[in-house]
Amino acid sequence: MNATPTWKTLSEHHAKVRHLHLRQLFAEDPKRGARLTAEAVGLYLDYSKNRVTDETLALLLGLAEEAGLRQRIDAMFRGDKINVTENRPVLHVALRAPRATTIVVDGENVVDQVHAVLDRMTDFTNRVRSGAWRGHTGRPIRNVVNIGIGGSDLGPVMAYEALKHYSDRSMVFRFVSNVDGTDLAEAVHDLDPAETLVIVSSKTFTTLETMTNAQSARQWLLDGLAGNVKAVAKHFVAVSTNAKEVAKFGIDPANMFEFWDWVGGRYSMDSAIGLTTMLAIGAENFRAMLDGFHQMDEHFRTAPFERNLPVLMGLLGLWYNDFFGAETVAVLPYDQYLKRFPAYLQQLTMESNGKQVKLDGKKVEYDTGAIYWGEPGTNGQHSFYQLIHQGTRLVPCDFIAFANPLNPLGGHHDILLANVVAQSEALAFGKTPDEVKAEGTPNWLVPHRVFEGNRPSNTILAARLDPETLGKLVALYEHSVFTQGAIWQIDSFDQWGVELGKVLAQRIIPELQSASEPKLGHDGSTNTLLRRIRKMRASP
Ligand code: F6P
C-alpha cells in the first residue's frame, strides 16, 4: 500500500502539515467545529479536533478508494471468503440482519439459521427469567455463571456491564474467564448450585481455560447437589459451533445454542454467545441491541465514505498510526457503565489488526494495528491524562459521551459532560507560555505549566446509553477496524498469533505436574524458571 501514489502523496502532505496547530486550523476556519462532523443513526462524531486539513481528508478518502474498500465491504456483506487464511466468510453482519434478509453461504440462507437460534434463545431466556425453567431440585434459577474467554467472555461481560441498567436485578450474573482457579472460586463462592445456571461459551469447545473452568464448575455443582449427574442437564447449557465436543463434555445437545464458523470470536457478542446478555436484559432489549448493530451496518455499507462514520474513524486512526507514528489510541468513555468497553475493544482491534503480513503472505512495510487502551472518565483524568496532555508521545483519543444520564443525581451528569468537553478542548488548544505568564506564574514555573495542545481527539456523542446505542457503538468500531484492515491489506479475521503460546503451555503442563524431575529441553531461561517453580512448590 505504501507504494501507491496516494500513500506517497499522503507522506509528502504529512511533511507539510505535521506542524500545523489545531489553534491555527480553527482560527482559519470558524466553521470547522461544525463542518468536520458527521452524524448517522443517532451517533454524532466530531472529528474537527484532528490534525487534518481538507486536503488530508480528501487524500485519506482517496486511499480508501484506491485500496478497494468499497469492494471489500461488498465482499464481506455478500459472504465471500474474505478470511483467507481460514477460508471462511466473515458474516457477523448476518447475526443482526432482519428476518427477511437473504445471505447465502454454501447454498443455505444463514439469516434463517440465525433467527432460528435467536428464537430458541428467546424461548430459553423467557423460561429462565419467568421461573418456568427449574433447577434439579425444583428451585428457579437466580444465578447465571458465564464461562468463556476472549470473544466468548469479553463481549458478554462488556454488554452486561454496559446494559446493567436494563438488567433483571433479582438475578446474579458472574463471568469466569481466567484459568487461575481464583476466578471460578470467587465467582461461585456465595452461590447456591441449586439456583445456578452455568453457560459454557466456547466457539471451539476445546479452549483449555474454558474447558478447565467448565470441568471444575461441573464438580462444584455436583458437590453441591449430592453428586447427582442428572443435575447437569438442568444447570449446564453450552454455546458453541462444536456439537461433538459439547456432547463429549456431557451437555445434552438439546441444551446447546449454536453459532457458526463464519462468526469470529471477537465478533460474536450478538450470536448465541450473547445468551448471558439476553438472560440479563431480556429478549426485547437484546433484539433492540441487534437492531442498533444493523443500523450501523447499513450505514457502513451504503453511506458515501466522506459521511461514513466507521470509514472516517478508521482513516483518522490510520493517519496517526502510519504517518505520525502514533502507537496507541486511548478510548475514554465518560460513562461508568462502559468500564469494560476498552478491554472489549482491545481484543476487537488488536486481535484483528495486529498482523505483520498481508493477505498474500508478504511482510507489510508499514505499521498495522495500534495499541488500544483506556478507562472511563473522569477516573482516567486523575491517573494517565497527565501523559496525554504534557508527555512526549502523541496519543489520539476517542471520547465517548451520552447527553442524558441513566442515573440522574444532582449535578453529576453536568459535571461529567463538562469534563469530557473540557478535556478535548484542553488537548487541542492547550495553554501558551503567554497565557501562563499572564496568570502571574513565575518564569521558572512557566514551562511546567504550558500545554502545547495540538493533541487530537474524536468525540462521539449519543443521546443515552441504551441497548440500541450500544449496538451502534460496537458496530462503529468493528467497521472502523475493517476499514483499516482493508487498507493495510491484512486478514483482520484470523488470530494465528495466539497459537504458539498455547502449544508450548501444553508441553509445559506435564513438566510441572511430573512427580519425578522431568528432563527439560527448553532454552536456559525457561528450564531454570521451571526448576525454580518446582522447587518453590516442593518447599513453600
Ligand atoms: O485467544 C484466541 C481465541 O481463539 C479468540 O479469538 C477467541 O475469542 C478465544 O480464543 C476463545 O475461543 P473459544 O470461543 O473457541 O473458546
Side-chain angles (χ1 to χ4, degrees):
M1 261 328 278
N2 61 350
T4 64
T6 311
W7 190 291
K8 286 192 171 144
T9 314
L10 266 165
S11 289
E12 288 155 21
H13 171 74
H14 174 254
K16 277 191 249 151
V17 300
R18 57 194 276 261
H19 293 300
L20 273 183
H21 200 289
L22 283 165
R23 283 196 283 259
Q24 186 186 337
L25 291 171
F26 273 84
E28 283 169 7
D29 176 7
K31 296 214 170 82
R32 181 182 173 97
R35 207 167 55 78
L36 298 193
T37 63
E39 192 164 11
V41 302
L43 295 191
Y44 178 85
L45 169 67
D46 172 3
Y47 60 96
S48 63
K49 293 190 184 93
N50 280 289
R51 292 168 65 172
V52 292
T53 64
D54 287 351
E55 191 185 350
T56 320
L57 290 167
L59 285 169
L60 287 169
L61 291 164
L63 186 71
E65 298 289 355
E66 198 172 80
L69 176 61
R70 171 65 55 210
Q71 292 82 336
R72 301 283 298 161
I73 294 172
D74 292 344
M76 172 169 73
F77 278 82
R78 213 168 37 225
D80 289 6
K81 295 188 173 168
I82 60 167
N83 177 358
V84 291
T85 70
E86 295 179 318
N87 194 30
R88 290 173 183 167
V90 173
L91 274 176
H92 42 281
V93 294
L95 299 171
R96 51 265 190 154
R99 237 177 248 277
T101 318
T102 303
I103 303 174
V104 177
V105 173
D106 297 332
E108 290 211 47
N109 181 10
V110 295
V111 181
D112 288 343
Q113 300 173 2
V114 164
H115 281 273
V117 174
L118 271 173
D119 291 345
R120 280 190 63 221
M121 288 166 65
T122 302
D123 176 57
F124 179 71
T125 296
N126 291 341
R127 282 193 288 149
V128 171
R129 284 166 63 102
S130 69
W133 176 286
R134 302 258 156 182
H136 178 65
T137 64
R139 304 242 291 272
I141 298 298
R142 292 264 147 262
N143 318 308
V144 176
V145 177
N146 188 82
I147 297 182
I149 198 164
S152 302
D153 167 73
L154 287 163
V157 74
M158 180 279 289
Y160 169 69
E161 292 294 345
L163 301 176
K164 203 182 226 169
H165 184 75
Y166 305 86
S167 71
D168 180 344
R169 301 301 179 115
S170 69
M171 294 178 76
V172 171
F173 290 86
R174 301 268 163 82
F175 298 83
V176 176
S177 53
N178 199 334
V179 76
D180 181 346
T182 298
D183 206 6
L184 178 64
E186 286 293 339
V188 299
H189 87 279
D190 57 347
L191 303 186
D192 179 350
E195 298 184 336
T196 302
L197 176 75
V198 177
I199 302 181
V200 185
S201 297
S202 174
K203 180 174 170 180
T204 55
F205 230 72
T206 55
T207 304
L208 180 63
E209 293 92 331
T210 300
M211 290 305 109
T212 307
N213 278 321
Q215 288 293 357
S216 300
R218 188 174 186 273
Q219 196 53 53
W220 167 80
L221 184 97
L222 293 178
D223 290 348
L225 294 175
N228 194 332
V229 287
K230 281 200 188 131
V232 173
K234 289 286 170 198
H235 293 270
F236 268 72
V237 299
V239 177
S240 188
T241 59
N242 193 342
K244 216 167 109 204
E245 287 296 326
V246 169
K248 223 157 96 191
F249 178 86
I251 296 177
D252 184 347
N255 292 341
M256 168 178 151
F257 297 86
E258 187 194 8
F259 65 116
W260 309 271
D261 68 4
W262 41 261
V263 183
R266 53 195 176 274
Y267 297 88
S268 66
M269 63 173 274
D270 37 22
S271 70
I273 289 290
L275 184 60
T276 313
T277 315
M278 195 191 264
L279 283 162
I281 63 172
E284 210 175 303
N285 279 322
F286 191 82
R287 284 178 195 256
M289 182 181 81
L290 296 187
D291 181 49
F293 271 97
H294 178 65
Q295 289 178 51
M296 184 55 78
D297 293 344
E298 282 305 283
H299 166 71
F300 179 56
R301 191 175 68 81
T302 59
F305 288 169
E306 67 273 16
R307 283 191 277 115
N308 194 311
L309 267 56
V311 172
L312 288 168
M313 281 190 54
L315 290 172
L316 289 164
L318 185 139
W319 173 236
Y320 297 116
N321 191 73
D322 291 312
F323 296 91
F324 281 87
E327 294 192 330
T328 82
V329 174
V331 181
L332 308 164
Y334 276 63
D335 190 300
Q336 189 59 22
Y337 284 125
L338 287 184
K339 64 181 182 193
R340 296 289 287 161
F341 193 61
Y344 171 78
L345 281 189
Q346 286 184 325
Q347 189 198 12
L348 177 66
T349 59
M350 289 153 76
E351 205 172 69
S352 295
N353 282 345
K355 307 290 161 65
Q356 58 178 352
V357 294
K358 291 180 278 188
L359 293 165
D360 61 8
K362 297 213 175 85
K363 191 114 182 173
V364 293
E365 286 121 4
Y366 35 82
D367 281 319
T368 59
I371 300 157
Y372 276 71
W373 59 289
E375 277 289 321
T378 58
N379 294 8
Q381 290 176 204
H382 298 272
S383 79
F384 54 79
Y385 277 39
Q386 164 65 38
L387 182 147
I388 307 182
H389 281 285
Q390 286 190 318
T392 54
R393 294 170 194 281
L394 183 72
V395 182
C397 299
D398 287 352
F399 292 102
I400 301 169
F402 302 92
N404 301 289
L406 293 177
N407 297 294
L409 208 61
H412 286 236
H413 204 64
D414 293 338
I415 297 171
L416 182 73
L417 290 181
N419 271 279
V420 66
V421 175
Q423 287 301 324
S424 69
E425 186 179 16
L427 286 169
F429 301 104
K431 202 172 190 183
T432 62
D434 286 346
E435 286 167 341
V436 176
K437 274 184 215 153
E439 288 172 346
T441 309
N443 276 346
W444 67 268
L445 195 53
V446 169
H448 297 275
R449 301 197 60 172
V450 164
F451 290 73
E452 271 175 5
N454 216 15
R455 299 181 182 223
S457 67
N458 293 311
T459 299
I460 301 161
L461 286 180
R464 66 173 46 72
L465 178 57
D466 55 21
E468 193 182 317
T469 305
L470 182 71
K472 293 169 186 172
L473 198 57
V474 174
L476 169 66
Y477 278 94
E478 284 178 350
H479 297 319
S480 118
V481 165
F482 182 91
T483 297
Q484 296 186 338
I487 297 175
W488 289 324
Q489 298 182 345
I490 56 177
D491 188 333
S492 300
F493 302 101
D494 60 12
Q495 57 285 317
W496 300 106
V498 301
E499 294 302 322
L500 180 59
K502 286 189 198 172
V503 173
L504 294 182
Q506 288 289 6
R507 188 173 143 201
I508 290 171
I509 292 166
E511 293 171 346
L512 281 175
Q513 291 175 336
S514 156
S516 57
E517 201 57 38
K519 198 168 167 315
L520 299 176
H522 304 275
D523 60 277
S525 161
T526 309
N527 288 344
T528 311
L529 280 170
L530 287 171
R531 282 190 200 107
R532 178 52 65 115
I533 292 169
R534 285 182 59 90
K535 199 164 152 214
M536 283 174 161
R537 276 159 46 124
S539 50

